[in-house]
Amino acid sequence: MAIYPIRKIGDPVLRTKAKEVKEITNKTRKLIDSMFETMYDAPGIGLAAPQIGISKRIIVIDLDDNPIALINPVIVEKQGSQVGEEGCLSIPGERALVERYQFVKVRGLDINGREIEIESEDLLARALQHEIDHLDGILFIDKIYKE
């Protein structure tokens, strides 16, 4: 495993749509392990592969010792609305209010290539939306809440 440098705002990889993962290999699993290690070291609660310069559709999240790794995640259901403060490891020192869906159902692959669905609300829903946005080149500052 390795701790990667986190790419900062201004790096073009953060504004590029990440590529779908076609095959899950041991290299993919090692990358996910390194993403967790990088996220914990930062410290953060979520990380997307583009944030470490790798244009692949992979995210990791850990809230309260419940690690989640998703490959090719997509939001398949969403409802409600919540406004909350967000920050980002790629934009150090900046925080802002962002409106997100209150509930999301996300479908993706686990590290063994099995399809999984995660139903989430509140902070986990926010984190999933934030990290999936990274895969599409969207940063939280693009979604600052305006009353």
Side-chain angles (χ1 to χ4, degrees):
M1 293 190 295
I3 295 176
Y4 286 83
I6 295 175
R7 303 295 178 97
K8 304 293 188 252
I9 190 166
D11 189 314
V13 73
L14 296 174
R15 293 299 193 172
T16 304
K17 185 172 177 138
K19 295 177 179 71
E20 186 174 323
V21 175
K22 301 284 188 202
E23 181 182 5
I24 300 169
T25 62
N26 282 337
K27 187 176 176 183
T28 309
R29 290 180 197 70
K30 286 179 184 171
L31 170 61
I32 289 169
D33 287 343
S34 293
M35 288 175 64
F36 274 116
E37 193 171 339
T38 301
M39 178 187 73
Y40 294 137
D41 183 68
I45 63 167
L47 189 71
Q51 290 181 273
I52 57 170
I54 297 172
S55 185
K56 293 191 177 196
R57 298 188 75 79
I58 301 172
I59 64 170
V60 297
I61 294 172
D62 191 351
L63 307 177
D64 303 322
D65 294 323
N66 184 22
I68 297 168
L70 283 172
I71 301 162
N72 301 330
V74 291
I75 296 172
V76 295
E77 191 178 320
K78 53 198 174 198
Q79 56 192 14
S81 175
Q82 62 169 311
V83 175
E85 190 175 72
E86 291 186 24
C88 181
L89 296 174
S90 293
I91 311 174
E94 295 294 323
R95 298 193 69 75
L97 293 177
V98 177
E99 185 171 17
R100 300 274 187 192
Y101 293 105
Q102 177 67 30
F103 167 88
V104 293
K105 182 190 291 184
V106 175
R107 186 176 297 142
L109 302 175
D110 70 10
I111 62 168
N112 297 308
R114 291 186 297 251
E115 186 173 284
I116 57 172
E117 279 189 354
I118 297 172
E119 293 188 10
S120 62
E121 293 183 300
D122 305 320
L123 183 57
L124 180 55
R126 176 174 297 283
L128 285 163
Q129 291 169 83
H130 178 110
E131 299 309 331
I132 291 170
D133 274 354
H134 273 299
L135 303 180
D136 294 322
I138 299 167
L139 301 175
F140 84 96
I141 57 172
D142 301 330
K143 295 186 166 194
I144 292 176
Y145 179 70
K146 296 171 180 68
E147 292 186 53

